[in-house]
DNA sequence: CATCAGTTTCAGAATGTTTTGAAATCTGCT
DNA sequence: AGCAGATTTCAAAACATTCTGAAACTGATG
């Protein structure tokens, strides 16, 4: 049997799902994954694999993969219903928490490896043919490293599990445009 | 004739280019585009299409497309050499300015259209069958809209042409972890 | 321990993106 | 205008990602 009793979705909900799906690329996830997340988010209900398959018209494999990936990203969790062997899934409801998880994941997956490569490049630039190397090149690599480290640090601060990122952001926005220089 | 006299590149430079290329997905551009940018950035020189083709071993069409796209993004500019009909390209050297351009482009291309869709969804949710609609659904759409608006505003503030984003970021990092709540 | 509902896996198919290369276009010079 | 070097375009090919569906697996139950 297919979906749990009455899983119907208003047309407007589906448009939300589609809009969110198109946004997938921004978050670095596939369209379907984003749609699955949107579906869980907008309904606010616990849905099972069959519900997702049916509503989004995707295959069982795809639904299973996407749900699992969302759980790995930490923005969807598994829940169980008493007396039901099926697994159900719910999306994190707090937008800021969703954002946190995504930012942290992406830094870990993408910025950190890049930084690792850049450290290697810097180390190769430094010791050996130090005299023959254009000092500007070193400076540029350094600048890039500094910038990415700043990004990672900011990400941690903003998106860290303890950080009240929202307030920080708000206060940042509220401040006046110019900030007194510290140098 | 191929590249301008002596365009040679140290092995370490190429590793920088590759590392940066892999990062392309984060910035939402293709690997090659990212590599072209990295090449221009790390050499700090003005290179012509042929230089890029040769160093990156890509086709003329691809080099042309990638360079043009980078110019569109505002992180590479065309320069001319007196007595030379060729066009040369240089990358913006300030990391923060590069970041600014990218953030602004991405907000314009990705967040703004999504927000537009969400406004439509909200408007569809409000007037007609207002009684039949789960109020929580409206709240969730609102929450998402608010969040994205905050993102766009933050992006503008941080990455705006006038904003001293770096100082803001630094001061943010320097602050103590907890910020007094404003409510 | 055989069965069954439910879940995951994975090779191949479908789809989407990027690259090529040659032809068309442009630009500035004589 | 006619030419020559430089650049852009674009259809087809190469490549990469995502999706499907059927088979394999899991683990609770009688």
């Amino acid at each position: 049997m297919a979906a749990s009793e009455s899983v119907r979705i208003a047309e407007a909900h589906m448009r939300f799902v589609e809009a969110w799906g198109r946004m997938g690329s921004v978050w670095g996830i596939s369209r379907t994954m984003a749609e699955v997340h949107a579906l869980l988010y907008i309904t606010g209900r616990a849905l099972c694999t069959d519900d997702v398959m049916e509503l989004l018209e995707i295959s069982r494999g795809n639904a299973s993969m996407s749900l699992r990936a969302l759980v790995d990203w930490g923005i969807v969790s598994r829940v169980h219903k008493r007396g039901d062997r099926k697994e159900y899934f719910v999306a994190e409801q707090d937008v800021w928490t969703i954002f946190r998880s995504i930012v942290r994941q992406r830094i870990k997956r993408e910025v950190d490896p890049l930084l690792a490569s850049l450290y290697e490049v810097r180390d190769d630039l430094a010791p050996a043919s130090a005299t023959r190397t254009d000092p500007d090149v070193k400076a540029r690599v350094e600048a890039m490293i500094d910038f990415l480290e700043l990004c990672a640090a900011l990400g941690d601060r903003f998106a860290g599990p303890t950080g009240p990122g929202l307030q920080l952001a708000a206060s940042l926005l509220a401040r006046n445009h110019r900030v007194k220089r510290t140098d």
Side-chain angles (χ1 to χ4, degrees), chain A:
Chain A
M1 116 215 28
S4 42
E5 348 66 48
S6 68
V7 179
R8 295 241 195 75
I9 295 249
E11 192 229 341
H13 297 198
M14 270 312 180
R15 294 216 278 104
F16 176 87
V17 169
E18 276 156 36
W20 196 240
R22 262 177 263 129
M23 189 72 172
S25 61
V26 177
W27 308 121
I29 63 182
S30 79
R31 203 198 64 216
T32 304
M33 237 178 101
E35 287 192 346
V36 173
H37 178 256
L39 182 65
L40 290 168
Y41 174 81
I42 200 65
T43 63
R45 269 187 282 181
L47 303 180
C48 66
T49 309
D50 292 278
D51 297 330
V52 172
M53 287 171 60
E54 189 170 302
L55 290 165
L56 259 34
E57 303 182 68
I58 59 176
S59 71
R60 180 172 299 284
N62 197 4
S64 169
M65 295 274 236
S66 299
L67 285 166
R68 172 209 251 280
L70 288 167
V71 170
D72 285 350
W73 276 69
I75 55 182
V76 161
S77 41
R78 298 173 201 268
V79 295
H80 291 277
K81 290 189 175 171
R82 294 247 156 275
D84 189 341
R85 271 159 74 180
K86 270 207 280 290
E87 277 191 312
Y88 288 77
F89 298 85
V90 280
E92 169 60 45
Q93 285 294 316
D94 178 56
V95 191
W96 196 263
T97 303
I98 294 171
F99 175 68
R100 257 209 274 284
S101 302
I102 291 173
V103 168
R104 250 179 312 146
Q105 288 285 336
R106 296 208 71 180
I107 288 179
K108 184 150 61 79
R109 292 175 196 209
E110 284 158 338
V111 179
D112 290 351
L114 175 60
L115 266 175
S117 302
L118 291 186
Y119 290 142
E120 278 185 35
V121 170
R122 176 178 60 184
D123 293 348
D124 281 11
L125 239 35
S129 57
T131 50
R132 275 188 25 82
T133 310
D134 183 348
D136 290 351
V137 170
K138 274 183 218 161
R140 281 191 283 269
V141 175
E142 290 288 356
M144 201 53 93
I145 287 175
D146 288 350
F147 174 73
L148 289 171
E149 281 174 347
L150 176 64
C151 283
L154 271 180
D156 269 7
R157 175 59 57 93
F158 259 103
T162 56
L166 188 65
Q167 284 97 310
L168 282 176
S171 75
L172 227 185
L173 268 182
R175 273 144 163 284
N176 213 320
H177 212 211
R178 298 211 146 274
V179 157
K180 69 169 191 295
R181 314 195 57 196
T182 46
D183 59 351

